[in-house]
Amino acid sequence: QVQLVESGGGLVQAGGSLRLSCAASGNTTNINSMGWHRQAPGKQRELVAALDAVGNTHYADSVKGRFTISGHSAKRTVYLQMNNLRPEDTAVYYCLMVRRVRPGVQNSWGQGTQVTVSS
């Protein structure tokens, strides 16, 4: 079992910054990637940013140049630095860990942290 605990959400004005953290514990072997998704009210959950096991990153077009994902492999922690926040970034942000478990993968989600950006 994997446990993911997110922190760092909150209320911020447009143009402000927040830093989200996700700490993993439990069975954290064979990590394929860790990342962040978000879900706004009435919308589907979408990928925000991902970091794979060799350090490659992937960002949604809407956050490129504003958000930065990073990780600390020894601490099994992933961060999301969010700058120049916009009201449309308001959502619940979820941490995701993907592990390689033969013959496929295992997805583990955190409980989510609310980010609210006021205009």
Side-chain angles (χ1 to χ4, degrees):
Q1 291 286 351
V2 174
Q3 294 80 42
L4 300 174
V5 178
E6 301 120 329
S7 61
L11 173 64
V12 65
Q13 289 187 332
S17 299
L18 285 173
R19 188 189 194 215
L20 305 183
S21 299
C22 173
S25 61
N27 188 351
T28 58
T29 57
N30 301 319
I31 296 174
N32 185 67
S33 66
M34 292 186 71
W36 294 92
H37 287 62
R38 68 186 180 187
Q39 188 166 18
K43 295 188 177 180
Q44 289 188 334
R45 191 172 297 190
E46 61 177 359
L47 171 69
V48 176
L51 175 67
D52 71 17
V54 296
N56 297 314
T57 57
H58 176 78
Y59 295 95
D61 288 342
S62 60
V63 307
K64 285 180 180 176
R66 300 187 298 123
F67 292 10
T68 303
I69 189 169
S70 61
H72 192 299
S73 58
K75 294 182 179 180
R76 294 290 194 258
T77 302
V78 66
Y79 307 98
L80 186 67
Q81 178 66 43
M82 305 185 293
N83 297 328
N84 192 20
L85 282 160
R86 304 167 179 169
E88 54 263 40
D89 294 318
T90 296
V92 178
Y93 284 69
Y94 296 92
C95 180
L96 168 67
M97 174 185 284
V98 181
R99 294 178 58 238
R100 298 184 298 278
V101 180
R102 292 182 178 178
V105 297
Q106 176 192 64
N107 292 339
S108 298
W109 293 92
Q111 80 285 354
T113 185
Q114 177 70 46
V115 171
T116 303
V117 185
S118 63
S119 58

PDB file of all heavy atoms in Angstrom, residues 36-72:
ATOM      1  N   TRP A  36       1.087  15.668 -10.477  1.00  0.00           N
ATOM      2  CA  TRP A  36      -0.059  16.402  -9.950  1.00  0.00           C
ATOM      3  C   TRP A  36      -1.159  16.479 -11.007  1.00  0.00           C
ATOM      4  O   TRP A  36      -0.888  16.766 -12.179  1.00  0.00           O
ATOM      5  CB  TRP A  36       0.369  17.823  -9.555  1.00  0.00           C
ATOM      6  CG  TRP A  36       1.320  17.850  -8.413  1.00  0.00           C
ATOM      7  CD1 TRP A  36       2.682  17.836  -8.474  1.00  0.00           C
ATOM      8  CD2 TRP A  36       0.975  17.878  -7.017  1.00  0.00           C
ATOM      9  NE1 TRP A  36       3.214  17.854  -7.202  1.00  0.00           N
ATOM     10  CE2 TRP A  36       2.182  17.894  -6.289  1.00  0.00           C
ATOM     11  CE3 TRP A  36      -0.227  17.922  -6.320  1.00  0.00           C
ATOM     12  CZ2 TRP A  36       2.215  17.925  -4.906  1.00  0.00           C
ATOM     13  CZ3 TRP A  36      -0.189  17.947  -4.940  1.00  0.00           C
ATOM     14  CH2 TRP A  36       1.016  17.955  -4.239  1.00  0.00           C
ATOM     15  N   HIS A  37      -2.352  16.237 -10.562  1.00  0.00           N
ATOM     16  CA  HIS A  37      -3.550  16.456 -11.355  1.00  0.00           C
ATOM     17  C   HIS A  37      -4.428  17.445 -10.599  1.00  0.00           C
ATOM     18  O   HIS A  37      -4.215  17.693  -9.414  1.00  0.00           O
ATOM     19  CB  HIS A  37      -4.321  15.143 -11.558  1.00  0.00           C
ATOM     20  CG  HIS A  37      -3.687  14.196 -12.518  1.00  0.00           C
ATOM     21  ND1 HIS A  37      -2.441  13.643 -12.326  1.00  0.00           N
ATOM     22  CD2 HIS A  37      -4.135  13.697 -13.693  1.00  0.00           C
ATOM     23  CE1 HIS A  37      -2.143  12.844 -13.335  1.00  0.00           C
ATOM     24  NE2 HIS A  37      -3.161  12.868 -14.179  1.00  0.00           N
ATOM     25  N   ARG A  38      -5.403  17.993 -11.281  1.00  0.00           N
ATOM     26  CA  ARG A  38      -6.340  18.899 -10.614  1.00  0.00           C
ATOM     27  C   ARG A  38      -7.740  18.700 -11.163  1.00  0.00           C
ATOM     28  O   ARG A  38      -7.920  18.249 -12.295  1.00  0.00           O
ATOM     29  CB  ARG A  38      -5.906  20.357 -10.764  1.00  0.00           C
ATOM     30  CG  ARG A  38      -5.987  20.893 -12.173  1.00  0.00           C
ATOM     31  CD  ARG A  38      -5.396  22.309 -12.240  1.00  0.00           C
ATOM     32  NE  ARG A  38      -5.453  22.860 -13.590  1.00  0.00           N
ATOM     33  CZ  ARG A  38      -4.888  24.017 -13.940  1.00  0.00           C
ATOM     34  NH1 ARG A  38      -4.221  24.736 -13.040  1.00  0.00           N
ATOM     35  NH2 ARG A  38      -5.004  24.457 -15.168  1.00  0.00           N
ATOM     36  N   GLN A  39      -8.693  19.029 -10.324  1.00  0.00           N
ATOM     37  CA  GLN A  39     -10.092  18.928 -10.730  1.00  0.00           C
ATOM     38  C   GLN A  39     -10.846  20.144 -10.221  1.00  0.00           C
ATOM     39  O   GLN A  39     -10.932  20.362  -9.013  1.00  0.00           O
ATOM     40  CB  GLN A  39     -10.723  17.647 -10.204  1.00  0.00           C
ATOM     41  CG  GLN A  39     -12.109  17.394 -10.746  1.00  0.00           C
ATOM     42  CD  GLN A  39     -12.594  15.978 -10.486  1.00  0.00           C
ATOM     43  OE1 GLN A  39     -12.064  15.270  -9.633  1.00  0.00           O
ATOM     44  NE2 GLN A  39     -13.596  15.550 -11.255  1.00  0.00           N
ATOM     45  N   ALA A  40     -11.377  20.910 -11.159  1.00  0.00           N
ATOM     46  CA  ALA A  40     -12.195  22.069 -10.833  1.00  0.00           C
ATOM     47  C   ALA A  40     -13.655  21.635 -10.786  1.00  0.00           C
ATOM     48  O   ALA A  40     -14.026  20.620 -11.400  1.00  0.00           O
ATOM     49  CB  ALA A  40     -11.985  23.157 -11.871  1.00  0.00           C
ATOM     50  N   PRO A  41     -14.511  22.382 -10.089  1.00  0.00           N
ATOM     51  CA  PRO A  41     -15.929  22.019 -10.008  1.00  0.00           C
ATOM     52  C   PRO A  41     -16.560  21.884 -11.392  1.00  0.00           C
ATOM     53  O   PRO A  41     -16.393  22.753 -12.248  1.00  0.00           O
ATOM     54  CB  PRO A  41     -16.540  23.186  -9.243  1.00  0.00           C
ATOM     55  CG  PRO A  41     -15.427  23.732  -8.423  1.00  0.00           C
ATOM     56  CD  PRO A  41     -14.202  23.566  -9.265  1.00  0.00           C
ATOM     57  N   GLY A  42     -17.224  20.772 -11.617  1.00  0.00           N
ATOM     58  CA  GLY A  42     -17.897  20.544 -12.876  1.00  0.00           C
ATOM     59  C   GLY A  42     -17.006  20.146 -14.028  1.00  0.00           C
ATOM     60  O   GLY A  42     -17.482  20.018 -15.165  1.00  0.00           O
ATOM     61  N   LYS A  43     -15.730  19.944 -13.747  1.00  0.00           N
ATOM     62  CA  LYS A  43     -14.791  19.579 -14.814  1.00  0.00           C
ATOM     63  C   LYS A  43     -14.126  18.241 -14.502  1.00  0.00           C
ATOM     64  O   LYS A  43     -14.112  17.784 -13.372  1.00  0.00           O
ATOM     65  CB  LYS A  43     -13.739  20.671 -14.991  1.00  0.00           C
ATOM     66  CG  LYS A  43     -14.293  21.993 -15.479  1.00  0.00           C
ATOM     67  CD  LYS A  43     -13.175  22.966 -15.807  1.00  0.00           C
ATOM     68  CE  LYS A  43     -13.733  24.262 -16.357  1.00  0.00           C
ATOM     69  NZ  LYS A  43     -12.651  25.226 -16.693  1.00  0.00           N
ATOM     70  N   GLN A  44     -13.549  17.654 -15.545  1.00  0.00           N
ATOM     71  CA  GLN A  44     -12.835  16.401 -15.358  1.00  0.00           C
ATOM     72  C   GLN A  44     -11.461  16.655 -14.741  1.00  0.00           C
ATOM     73  O   GLN A  44     -10.889  17.739 -14.902  1.00  0.00           O
ATOM     74  CB  GLN A  44     -12.679  15.689 -16.714  1.00  0.00           C
ATOM     75  CG  GLN A  44     -13.978  15.129 -17.273  1.00  0.00           C
ATOM     76  CD  GLN A  44     -13.749  14.270 -18.505  1.00  0.00           C
ATOM     77  OE1 GLN A  44     -12.766  14.445 -19.223  1.00  0.00           O
ATOM     78  NE2 GLN A  44     -14.645  13.333 -18.752  1.00  0.00           N
ATOM     79  N   ARG A  45     -10.950  15.643 -14.094  1.00  0.00           N
ATOM     80  CA  ARG A  45      -9.608  15.727 -13.545  1.00  0.00           C
ATOM     81  C   ARG A  45      -8.616  15.768 -14.709  1.00  0.00           C
ATOM     82  O   ARG A  45      -8.762  15.011 -15.679  1.00  0.00           O
ATOM     83  CB  ARG A  45      -9.316  14.531 -12.636  1.00  0.00           C
ATOM     84  CG  ARG A  45      -8.057  14.661 -11.811  1.00  0.00           C
ATOM     85  CD  ARG A  45      -7.929  13.532 -10.797  1.00  0.00           C
ATOM     86  NE  ARG A  45      -9.015  13.556  -9.817  1.00  0.00           N
ATOM     87  CZ  ARG A  45      -9.021  12.788  -8.724  1.00  0.00           C
ATOM     88  NH1 ARG A  45      -8.020  11.937  -8.503  1.00  0.00           N
ATOM     89  NH2 ARG A  45     -10.043  12.842  -7.896  1.00  0.00           N
ATOM     90  N   GLU A  46      -7.615  16.642 -14.594  1.00  0.00           N
ATOM     91  CA  GLU A  46      -6.658  16.798 -15.675  1.00  0.00           C
ATOM     92  C   GLU A  46      -5.234  16.794 -15.126  1.00  0.00           C
ATOM     93  O   GLU A  46      -4.978  17.193 -13.986  1.00  0.00           O
ATOM     94  CB  GLU A  46      -6.890  18.123 -16.429  1.00  0.00           C
ATOM     95  CG  GLU A  46      -6.725  19.364 -15.581  1.00  0.00           C
ATOM     96  CD  GLU A  46      -6.895  20.651 -16.364  1.00  0.00           C
ATOM     97  OE1 GLU A  46      -7.134  20.604 -17.586  1.00  0.00           O
ATOM     98  OE2 GLU A  46      -6.766  21.726 -15.741  1.00  0.00           O
ATOM     99  N   LEU A  47      -4.316  16.354 -15.987  1.00  0.00           N
ATOM    100  CA  LEU A  47      -2.912  16.358 -15.626  1.00  0.00           C
ATOM    101  C   LEU A  47      -2.396  17.785 -15.578  1.00  0.00           C
ATOM    102  O   LEU A  47      -2.674  18.589 -16.477  1.00  0.00           O
ATOM    103  CB  LEU A  47      -2.107  15.560 -16.654  1.00  0.00           C
ATOM    104  CG  LEU A  47      -0.587  15.642 -16.532  1.00  0.00           C
ATOM    105  CD1 LEU A  47      -0.100  14.940 -15.281  1.00  0.00           C
ATOM    106  CD2 LEU A  47       0.086  15.054 -17.773  1.00  0.00           C
ATOM    107  N   VAL A  48      -1.640  18.104 -14.550  1.00  0.00           N
ATOM    108  CA  VAL A  48      -0.992  19.401 -14.436  1.00  0.00           C
ATOM    109  C   VAL A  48       0.497  19.264 -14.761  1.00  0.00           C
ATOM    110  O   VAL A  48       1.030  19.975 -15.603  1.00  0.00           O
ATOM    111  CB  VAL A  48      -1.165  19.984 -13.020  1.00  0.00           C
ATOM    112  CG1 VAL A  48      -0.403  21.304 -12.888  1.00  0.00           C
ATOM    113  CG2 VAL A  48      -2.642  20.175 -12.707  1.00  0.00           C
ATOM    114  N   ALA A  49       1.161  18.356 -14.068  1.00  0.00           N
ATOM    115  CA  ALA A  49       2.599  18.172 -14.262  1.00  0.00           C
ATOM    116  C   ALA A  49       2.993  16.791 -13.773  1.00  0.00           C
ATOM    117  O   ALA A  49       2.370  16.263 -12.847  1.00  0.00           O
ATOM    118  CB  ALA A  49       3.393  19.237 -13.517  1.00  0.00           C
ATOM    119  N   ALA A  50       4.021  16.232 -14.393  1.00  0.00           N
ATOM    120  CA  ALA A  50       4.506  14.911 -14.011  1.00  0.00           C
ATOM    121  C   ALA A  50       6.027  14.882 -14.085  1.00  0.00           C
ATOM    122  O   ALA A  50       6.637  15.596 -14.881  1.00  0.00           O
ATOM    123  CB  ALA A  50       3.905  13.826 -14.895  1.00  0.00           C
ATOM    124  N   LEU A  51       6.593  14.025 -13.235  1.00  0.00           N
ATOM    125  CA  LEU A  51       8.046  13.848 -13.158  1.00  0.00           C
ATOM    126  C   LEU A  51       8.310  12.357 -13.179  1.00  0.00           C
ATOM    127  O   LEU A  51       7.807  11.629 -12.304  1.00  0.00           O
ATOM    128  CB  LEU A  51       8.566  14.460 -11.858  1.00  0.00           C
ATOM    129  CG  LEU A  51      10.040  14.283 -11.512  1.00  0.00           C
ATOM    130  CD1 LEU A  51      10.912  15.033 -12.499  1.00  0.00           C
ATOM    131  CD2 LEU A  51      10.301  14.762 -10.082  1.00  0.00           C
ATOM    132  N   ASP A  52       9.099  11.895 -14.171  1.00  0.00           N
ATOM    133  CA  ASP A  52       9.318  10.458 -14.222  1.00  0.00           C
ATOM    134  C   ASP A  52      10.589  10.070 -13.472  1.00  0.00           C
ATOM    135  O   ASP A  52      11.293  10.918 -12.916  1.00  0.00           O
ATOM    136  CB  ASP A  52       9.323   9.942 -15.671  1.00  0.00           C
ATOM    137  CG  ASP A  52      10.543  10.367 -16.467  1.00  0.00           C
ATOM    138  OD1 ASP A  52      11.556  10.795 -15.872  1.00  0.00           O
ATOM    139  OD2 ASP A  52      10.487  10.262 -17.696  1.00  0.00           O
ATOM    140  N   ALA A  53      10.865   8.788 -13.451  1.00  0.00           N
ATOM    141  CA  ALA A  53      11.939   8.256 -12.612  1.00  0.00           C
ATOM    142  C   ALA A  53      13.328   8.717 -13.028  1.00  0.00           C
ATOM    143  O   ALA A  53      14.264   8.648 -12.218  1.00  0.00           O
ATOM    144  CB  ALA A  53      11.872   6.731 -12.605  1.00  0.00           C
ATOM    145  N   VAL A  54      13.470   9.154 -14.287  1.00  0.00           N
ATOM    146  CA  VAL A  54      14.794   9.610 -14.735  1.00  0.00           C
ATOM    147  C   VAL A  54      14.869  11.116 -14.827  1.00  0.00           C
ATOM    148  O   VAL A  54      15.833  11.660 -15.360  1.00  0.00           O
ATOM    149  CB  VAL A  54      15.165   8.963 -16.084  1.00  0.00           C
ATOM    150  CG1 VAL A  54      15.305   7.453 -15.916  1.00  0.00           C
ATOM    151  CG2 VAL A  54      14.159   9.301 -17.164  1.00  0.00           C
ATOM    152  N   GLY A  55      13.850  11.796 -14.320  1.00  0.00           N
ATOM    153  CA  GLY A  55      13.916  13.244 -14.239  1.00  0.00           C
ATOM    154  C   GLY A  55      13.241  14.015 -15.353  1.00  0.00           C
ATOM    155  O   GLY A  55      13.298  15.250 -15.367  1.00  0.00           O
ATOM    156  N   ASN A  56      12.607  13.307 -16.270  1.00  0.00           N
ATOM    157  CA  ASN A  56      11.886  14.025 -17.322  1.00  0.00           C
ATOM    158  C   ASN A  56      10.605  14.628 -16.754  1.00  0.00           C
ATOM    159  O   ASN A  56       9.953  14.036 -15.898  1.00  0.00           O
ATOM    160  CB  ASN A  56      11.532  13.079 -18.470  1.00  0.00           C
ATOM    161  CG  ASN A  56      12.763  12.530 -19.147  1.00  0.00           C
ATOM    162  OD1 ASN A  56      13.692  13.258 -19.449  1.00  0.00           O
ATOM    163  ND2 ASN A  56      12.774  11.224 -19.388  1.00  0.00           N
ATOM    164  N   THR A  57      10.251  15.796 -17.253  1.00  0.00           N
ATOM    165  CA  THR A  57       9.047  16.477 -16.793  1.00  0.00           C
ATOM    166  C   THR A  57       8.063  16.671 -17.941  1.00  0.00           C
ATOM    167  O   THR A  57       8.449  16.722 -19.121  1.00  0.00           O
ATOM    168  CB  THR A  57       9.379  17.845 -16.186  1.00  0.00           C
ATOM    169  OG1 THR A  57      10.071  18.631 -17.163  1.00  0.00           O
ATOM    170  CG2 THR A  57      10.245  17.703 -14.945  1.00  0.00           C
ATOM    171  N   HIS A  58       6.812  16.788 -17.572  1.00  0.00           N
ATOM    172  CA  HIS A  58       5.753  17.037 -18.547  1.00  0.00           C
ATOM    173  C   HIS A  58       4.763  17.991 -17.905  1.00  0.00           C
ATOM    174  O   HIS A  58       4.404  17.819 -16.734  1.00  0.00           O
ATOM    175  CB  HIS A  58       5.057  15.727 -18.942  1.00  0.00           C
ATOM    176  CG  HIS A  58       3.902  15.953 -19.871  1.00  0.00           C
ATOM    177  ND1 HIS A  58       4.055  16.201 -21.210  1.00  0.00           N
ATOM    178  CD2 HIS A  58       2.571  15.979 -19.636  1.00  0.00           C
ATOM    179  CE1 HIS A  58       2.874  16.373 -21.765  1.00  0.00           C
ATOM    180  NE2 HIS A  58       1.952  16.233 -20.837  1.00  0.00           N
ATOM    181  N   TYR A  59       4.332  19.000 -18.681  1.00  0.00           N
ATOM    182  CA  TYR A  59       3.413  19.993 -18.162  1.00  0.00           C
ATOM    183  C   TYR A  59       2.205  20.152 -19.092  1.00  0.00           C
ATOM    184  O   TYR A  59       2.329  20.056 -20.314  1.00  0.00           O
ATOM    185  CB  TYR A  59       4.099  21.360 -18.043  1.00  0.00           C
ATOM    186  CG  TYR A  59       5.220  21.401 -17.038  1.00  0.00           C
ATOM    187  CD1 TYR A  59       6.543  21.202 -17.428  1.00  0.00           C
ATOM    188  CD2 TYR A  59       4.965  21.661 -15.686  1.00  0.00           C
ATOM    189  CE1 TYR A  59       7.581  21.238 -16.504  1.00  0.00           C
ATOM    190  CE2 TYR A  59       5.989  21.714 -14.763  1.00  0.00           C
ATOM    191  CZ  TYR A  59       7.288  21.502 -15.173  1.00  0.00           C
ATOM    192  OH  TYR A  59       8.312  21.545 -14.256  1.00  0.00           O
ATOM    193  N   ALA A  60       1.085  20.466 -18.494  1.00  0.00           N
ATOM    194  CA  ALA A  60      -0.060  20.885 -19.290  1.00  0.00           C
ATOM    195  C   ALA A  60       0.273  22.235 -19.920  1.00  0.00           C
ATOM    196  O   ALA A  60       0.986  23.054 -19.320  1.00  0.00           O
ATOM    197  CB  ALA A  60      -1.298  21.004 -18.407  1.00  0.00           C
ATOM    198  N   ASP A  61      -0.233  22.471 -21.121  1.00  0.00           N
ATOM    199  CA  ASP A  61       0.060  23.724 -21.811  1.00  0.00           C
ATOM    200  C   ASP A  61      -0.359  24.933 -20.979  1.00  0.00           C
ATOM    201  O   ASP A  61       0.304  25.976 -21.001  1.00  0.00           O
ATOM    202  CB  ASP A  61      -0.660  23.754 -23.160  1.00  0.00           C
ATOM    203  CG  ASP A  61      -0.033  22.817 -24.176  1.00  0.00           C
ATOM    204  OD1 ASP A  61       1.131  22.400 -23.979  1.00  0.00           O
ATOM    205  OD2 ASP A  61      -0.702  22.511 -25.186  1.00  0.00           O
ATOM    206  N   SER A  62      -1.425  24.797 -20.231  1.00  0.00           N
ATOM    207  CA  SER A  62      -1.969  25.932 -19.489  1.00  0.00           C
ATOM    208  C   SER A  62      -1.070  26.379 -18.329  1.00  0.00           C
ATOM    209  O   SER A  62      -1.260  27.482 -17.814  1.00  0.00           O
ATOM    210  CB  SER A  62      -3.361  25.580 -18.958  1.00  0.00           C
ATOM    211  OG  SER A  62      -3.287  24.455 -18.093  1.00  0.00           O
ATOM    212  N   VAL A  63      -0.119  25.537 -17.924  1.00  0.00           N
ATOM    213  CA  VAL A  63       0.725  25.906 -16.784  1.00  0.00           C
ATOM    214  C   VAL A  63       2.195  26.061 -17.162  1.00  0.00           C
ATOM    215  O   VAL A  63       3.009  26.435 -16.315  1.00  0.00           O
ATOM    216  CB  VAL A  63       0.589  24.885 -15.635  1.00  0.00           C
ATOM    217  CG1 VAL A  63      -0.872  24.687 -15.264  1.00  0.00           C
ATOM    218  CG2 VAL A  63       1.253  23.552 -15.981  1.00  0.00           C
ATOM    219  N   LYS A  64       2.532  25.787 -18.396  1.00  0.00           N
ATOM    220  CA  LYS A  64       3.932  25.906 -18.812  1.00  0.00           C
ATOM    221  C   LYS A  64       4.438  27.321 -18.584  1.00  0.00           C
ATOM    222  O   LYS A  64       3.761  28.295 -18.911  1.00  0.00           O
ATOM    223  CB  LYS A  64       4.078  25.525 -20.286  1.00  0.00           C
ATOM    224  CG  LYS A  64       4.006  24.041 -20.552  1.00  0.00           C
ATOM    225  CD  LYS A  64       4.164  23.739 -22.041  1.00  0.00           C
ATOM    226  CE  LYS A  64       4.085  22.242 -22.291  1.00  0.00           C
ATOM    227  NZ  LYS A  64       4.151  21.918 -23.741  1.00  0.00           N
ATOM    228  N   GLY A  65       5.636  27.406 -18.017  1.00  0.00           N
ATOM    229  CA  GLY A  65       6.230  28.706 -17.739  1.00  0.00           C
ATOM    230  C   GLY A  65       5.801  29.301 -16.420  1.00  0.00           C
ATOM    231  O   GLY A  65       6.387  30.304 -15.978  1.00  0.00           O
ATOM    232  N   ARG A  66       4.789  28.710 -15.779  1.00  0.00           N
ATOM    233  CA  ARG A  66       4.323  29.232 -14.488  1.00  0.00           C
ATOM    234  C   ARG A  66       4.526  28.219 -13.360  1.00  0.00           C
ATOM    235  O   ARG A  66       4.799  28.601 -12.223  1.00  0.00           O
ATOM    236  CB  ARG A  66       2.839  29.587 -14.572  1.00  0.00           C
ATOM    237  CG  ARG A  66       2.516  30.639 -15.619  1.00  0.00           C
ATOM    238  CD  ARG A  66       1.044  31.076 -15.524  1.00  0.00           C
ATOM    239  NE  ARG A  66       0.114  29.975 -15.783  1.00  0.00           N
ATOM    240  CZ  ARG A  66      -0.820  29.589 -14.918  1.00  0.00           C
ATOM    241  NH1 ARG A  66      -0.949  30.187 -13.736  1.00  0.00           N
ATOM    242  NH2 ARG A  66      -1.649  28.593 -15.229  1.00  0.00           N
ATOM    243  N   PHE A  67       4.378  26.945 -13.656  1.00  0.00           N
ATOM    244  CA  PHE A  67       4.495  25.892 -12.651  1.00  0.00           C
ATOM    245  C   PHE A  67       5.781  25.106 -12.880  1.00  0.00           C
ATOM    246  O   PHE A  67       6.204  24.900 -14.026  1.00  0.00           O
ATOM    247  CB  PHE A  67       3.318  24.922 -12.728  1.00  0.00           C
ATOM    248  CG  PHE A  67       1.980  25.488 -12.316  1.00  0.00           C
ATOM    249  CD1 PHE A  67       1.787  26.840 -12.095  1.00  0.00           C
ATOM    250  CD2 PHE A  67       0.898  24.638 -12.165  1.00  0.00           C
ATOM    251  CE1 PHE A  67       0.564  27.349 -11.727  1.00  0.00           C
ATOM    252  CE2 PHE A  67      -0.348  25.125 -11.787  1.00  0.00           C
ATOM    253  CZ  PHE A  67      -0.511  26.489 -11.582  1.00  0.00           C
ATOM    254  N   THR A  68       6.360  24.642 -11.786  1.00  0.00           N
ATOM    255  CA  THR A  68       7.556  23.811 -11.858  1.00  0.00           C
ATOM    256  C   THR A  68       7.402  22.619 -10.926  1.00  0.00           C
ATOM    257  O   THR A  68       7.118  22.803  -9.735  1.00  0.00           O
ATOM    258  CB  THR A  68       8.809  24.602 -11.465  1.00  0.00           C
ATOM    259  OG1 THR A  68       8.940  25.743 -12.306  1.00  0.00           O
ATOM    260  CG2 THR A  68      10.058  23.727 -11.614  1.00  0.00           C
ATOM    261  N   ILE A  69       7.593  21.432 -11.476  1.00  0.00           N
ATOM    262  CA  ILE A  69       7.545  20.219 -10.667  1.00  0.00           C
ATOM    263  C   ILE A  69       8.968  19.778 -10.348  1.00  0.00           C
ATOM    264  O   ILE A  69       9.863  19.886 -11.187  1.00  0.00           O
ATOM    265  CB  ILE A  69       6.759  19.096 -11.377  1.00  0.00           C
ATOM    266  CG1 ILE A  69       6.534  17.919 -10.410  1.00  0.00           C
ATOM    267  CG2 ILE A  69       7.438  18.649 -12.657  1.00  0.00           C
ATOM    268  CD1 ILE A  69       5.552  16.879 -10.944  1.00  0.00           C
ATOM    269  N   SER A  70       9.167  19.324  -9.129  1.00  0.00           N
ATOM    270  CA  SER A  70      10.475  18.819  -8.726  1.00  0.00           C
ATOM    271  C   SER A  70      10.267  17.715  -7.706  1.00  0.00           C
ATOM    272  O   SER A  70       9.173  17.540  -7.168  1.00  0.00           O
ATOM    273  CB  SER A  70      11.340  19.942  -8.148  1.00  0.00           C
ATOM    274  OG  SER A  70      10.747  20.498  -6.995  1.00  0.00           O
ATOM    275  N   GLY A  71      11.351  16.980  -7.446  1.00  0.00           N
ATOM    276  CA  GLY A  71      11.209  15.877  -6.515  1.00  0.00           C
ATOM    277  C   GLY A  71      12.474  15.617  -5.733  1.00  0.00           C
ATOM    278  O   GLY A  71      13.561  16.025  -6.130  1.00  0.00           O
ATOM    279  N   HIS A  72      12.284  14.928  -4.615  1.00  0.00           N
ATOM    280  CA  HIS A  72      13.412  14.509  -3.792  1.00  0.00           C
ATOM    281  C   HIS A  72      13.269  12.992  -3.672  1.00  0.00           C
ATOM    282  O   HIS A  72      12.447  12.497  -2.899  1.00  0.00           O
ATOM    283  CB  HIS A  72      13.350  15.179  -2.416  1.00  0.00           C
ATOM    284  CG  HIS A  72      14.607  15.017  -1.626  1.00  0.00           C
ATOM    285  ND1 HIS A  72      15.099  13.783  -1.261  1.00  0.00           N
ATOM    286  CD2 HIS A  72      15.469  15.922  -1.137  1.00  0.00           C
ATOM    287  CE1 HIS A  72      16.218  13.944  -0.580  1.00  0.00           C
ATOM    288  NE2 HIS A  72      16.453  15.233  -0.480  1.00  0.00           N
TER     289      HIS A  72
END
